Amino acid sequence: MRTVNAQSLQRSPYLGTNGFPLQSAAVYGPIHSRRYGYSLGINPLPVSYKFCDFDCVYCQYGWTPRQPGEQQTREKIRPADELLSEIDHSFQIALSNKTPVDVITIAGNGEPTLHPQFSRLVDGLLDLRDRYFPKVRLGILSDSSQCYRLEIRQALAKLDDRSMKLDAGDWETVQKVNRPLANFDWTRTLRSLEALKDITLQTLFVQGSCDNTSPRQIESWIEAVRLVRPKSVQVYTVDRPPADAGIRPVSVSQLRTIAEQCEAATHIPTEWFE
Ligand code: SF4
């Protein structure tokens, strides 16, 4: 298979604290998965460190730098127009290489809605998608932390697909699994997710040094799913090196049981992925 360009093939010299490489360009992949097919990734964030307002125990990019001094470089977030010009170039190459693209997914080295010009970026990406891959859906993977902001909800609404994180139904578990940084309000996040239309809730279940799978935790998570009323739910577990080496994946049979429980209680289609 031919990838987007030479840069996206390069293994990043920058690694997360778990040794897993960061994404090295504004466009990466495509990455193949059973869930999405061939997904071309968009990284609007720095390439030399993870930029996120969560610090999930299972993060494939390792622990989140909490102070500027903990970042590997002083790289700044790039303006939307500069990113769009690089993305335009990469899309041209992907098209001429006949790179297989089933979906385009905004994600990257952290939380994409933290980009200060996120709305501008979404508008530009929609134009580029229409020009180069008009039949391909444009979606996002988000940690849900910024959807309380009206301008972020409006930008998210323009995308074809919104996959929003909800790893627990109680604040105590969210603190343990997602370890949010400053300015995170759990109740506000739940209400904001409820206000978003046609979202897919994504939940990652873990065991080991941190666990969100007890009967009480599953019960409160199902209550939260019922409140948010997404169009679908996806549950899955770790398949890459986690930030916390004590984290273990949940068994396939338990994932399936959780998905069946959720669907039976909420009547919302719930898929599970290994
Ligand atoms: S929200 Fe995503 S990028 Fe951020 S810490 Fe969690 S898993 Fe990592």
Side-chain angles (χ1 to χ4, degrees):
M1 184 203 17
R2 305 177 105 184
T3 51
V4 182
N5 56 29
Q7 200 177 8
S8 78
L9 272 176
Q10 278 170 14
R11 189 183 151 100
S12 171
Y14 297 104
L15 309 178
T17 58
N18 56 349
F20 198 78
L22 294 163
Q23 304 301 343
S24 62
V27 179
Y28 57 95
I31 294 168
H32 187 261
S33 70
R34 196 153 66 84
R35 225 178 318 171
Y36 300 111
Y38 288 102
S39 171
L40 204 54
I42 304 294
N43 170 38
L45 302 169
V47 296
S48 58
Y49 56 90
K50 175 180 155 191
F51 190 85
C52 195
D53 51 0
F54 277 10
D55 195 6
C56 304
V57 289
Y58 56 75
C59 185
Q60 71 180 76
Y61 299 123
W63 299 119
T64 305
R66 293 189 172 235
Q67 308 288 339
E70 293 176 22
Q71 295 163 355
Q72 297 183 62
T73 69
R74 297 184 173 208
E75 181 189 355
K76 300 261 185 274
I77 292 185
R78 294 157 69 196
D81 286 346
E82 191 181 312
L83 285 165
L84 288 165
S85 147
E86 182 183 324
I87 294 165
D88 186 335
H89 182 64
S90 296
F91 279 10
Q92 281 178 43
I93 296 172
L95 199 61
S96 64
N97 279 354
K98 297 190 171 47
T99 302
V101 181
D102 296 317
V103 291
I104 300 170
T105 307
I106 309 168
N109 292 330
E111 172 48 35
T113 61
L114 289 174
H115 190 286
Q117 294 174 289
F118 181 70
S119 301
R120 164 80 194 109
L121 194 65
V122 165
D123 289 340
L125 279 170
L126 285 163
D127 286 346
L128 292 175
R129 185 279 308 271
D130 291 348
R131 192 177 331 150
Y132 294 106
F133 303 103
K135 295 190 176 139
V136 169
R137 295 176 77 80
L138 177 61
I140 188 167
L141 303 180
S142 169
D143 70 8
S144 312
S145 65
Q146 300 299 310
C147 64
Y148 73 92
R149 294 161 53 199
L150 180 61
E151 74 269 26
I152 298 294
R153 284 206 302 279
Q154 286 171 338
L156 289 172
K158 294 178 186 174
L159 298 170
D160 301 310
D161 298 303
R162 291 154 287 282
S163 297
M164 311 298 291
K165 186 185 292 298
L166 183 77
D167 287 339
D170 65 284
W171 173 227
E172 196 189 335
T173 305
V174 168
Q175 283 177 290
K176 286 183 184 155
V177 176
N178 304 118
R179 302 163 27 102
L181 277 59
N183 192 30
F184 180 76
D185 183 323
W186 165 236
T187 311
R188 179 180 67 184
T189 301
L190 273 186
R191 295 285 169 210
S192 311
L193 282 172
E194 198 186 347
L196 273 172
K197 298 264 180 295
D198 288 335
I199 61 170
T200 295
L201 276 187
Q202 287 194 332
T203 303
L204 194 142
F205 287 105
V206 288
Q207 288 175 336
S209 52
C210 184
D211 193 322
N212 56 350
T213 64
S214 75
R216 182 190 58 76
Q217 288 167 317
I218 297 296
E219 205 177 298
S220 57
W221 169 74
I222 288 175
E223 263 320 296
V225 172
R226 208 197 302 272
L227 175 82
V228 171
R229 302 250 19 115
K231 69 171 180 188
S232 62
V233 179
Q234 295 179 342
V235 301
Y236 57 116
T237 190
V238 271
D239 66 351
R240 292 193 177 147
D244 178 345
I247 289 297
R248 289 198 326 268
V250 173
S251 71
V252 170
S253 64
Q254 191 167 1
L255 269 188
R256 187 189 307 129
T257 304
I258 294 169
E260 287 168 358
Q261 255 181 286
C262 178
E263 189 161 313
T266 63
H267 306 294
I268 296 168
T270 305
E271 294 177 285
W272 56 274
F273 296 91
E274 292 176 51

